[in-house]
Amino acid sequence: MRCPFCGEVDSQVKDSRPTDDGSAIRRRRFCTACGQRFTTVERVQLRELVVLKADGRRVAFDRDKLARSIRVALNKRPVDAERQERIVNGIVRKLEASGETEITSGAIGEEVMAALKEIDAVAYVRFASVYRDFREARDFHEFLGRLDGTPLATDEPPP
């Protein structure tokens, strides 16, 4: 593992332990050249996933981008970092277990929305507002009406 401080290729593992949910191994390393310590994380990757974007582009799946979007949705909400990590791990495992190597960005978005809906309604609405590209207050109003199952009052009289 290359040292992030000096770029030296040679480093020694001083300590290894599994993460709390057992999905990865944290390794504490020591650089033999500069003496700095750093941590690496190893995860099992079942297959290389490719994301098929709405515009037809294909990009490599980025676990960090998924984690970032969930973190943003859950910002200032009462969900700890460990739980957020479990959400990300669960979504990644589900995507890898699907057997598909190409996953649509829409399928990933729906998985995130399903996970957030179970955990925090505010985070769910935050994510949906970006994912579904809400443009005006009416979009929020319609979405929230469907969320709690109550019929929405509209400006138009019923037929």
Side-chain angles (χ1 to χ4, degrees), residues 2-80:
R2 186 175 300 274
C3 174
F5 301 103
C6 71
E8 176 65 33
V9 178
D10 190 29
S11 65
Q12 294 178 348
V13 175
K14 292 296 181 185
D15 181 41
S16 292
R17 62 186 122 136
T19 56
D20 291 336
D21 65 355
S23 66
I25 296 178
R26 300 175 79 79
R27 297 197 192 281
R28 192 73 181 138
R29 294 177 179 269
F30 173 80
C31 177
T32 55
C34 70
Q36 293 287 334
R37 293 177 181 261
F38 58 98
T39 302
T40 59
V41 179
E42 291 181 21
R43 297 183 192 291
V44 172
Q45 183 174 345
L46 297 177
R47 66 189 58 184
E48 292 286 326
L49 295 175
V50 175
V51 179
L52 182 59
K53 300 289 211 171
D55 64 5
R57 289 181 299 131
R58 286 175 167 71
V59 297
F61 175 76
D62 185 351
R63 184 184 192 288
D64 292 335
K65 184 176 179 183
L66 174 65
R68 225 177 6 260
S69 65
I70 290 172
R71 224 179 9 260
V72 167
L74 288 166
N75 188 32
K76 296 185 180 180
R77 301 301 303 154
V79 179
D80 62 22

Side-chain angles (χ1 to χ4, degrees), residues 143-155:
F143 183 78
L144 291 173
R146 287 192 305 264
L147 179 64
D148 63 9
T150 57
L152 293 174
T154 61
D155 297 336

Side-chain angles (χ1 to χ4, degrees), residues 61 66 69-70 87-96 98 103-119 124 127 131-132:
F61 175 76
L66 174 65
S69 65
I70 290 172
I87 294 167
V88 173
N89 289 339
I91 292 171
V92 171
R93 269 189 250 122
K94 191 178 279 189
L95 295 174
E96 288 178 338
S98 73
I103 312 266
T104 64
S105 57
I108 296 170
E110 292 300 325
E111 288 294 335
V112 172
M113 285 185 53
L116 290 175
K117 188 174 185 179
E118 294 295 317
I119 292 175
Y124 172 66
F127 185 85
Y131 173 64
R132 298 257 168 97

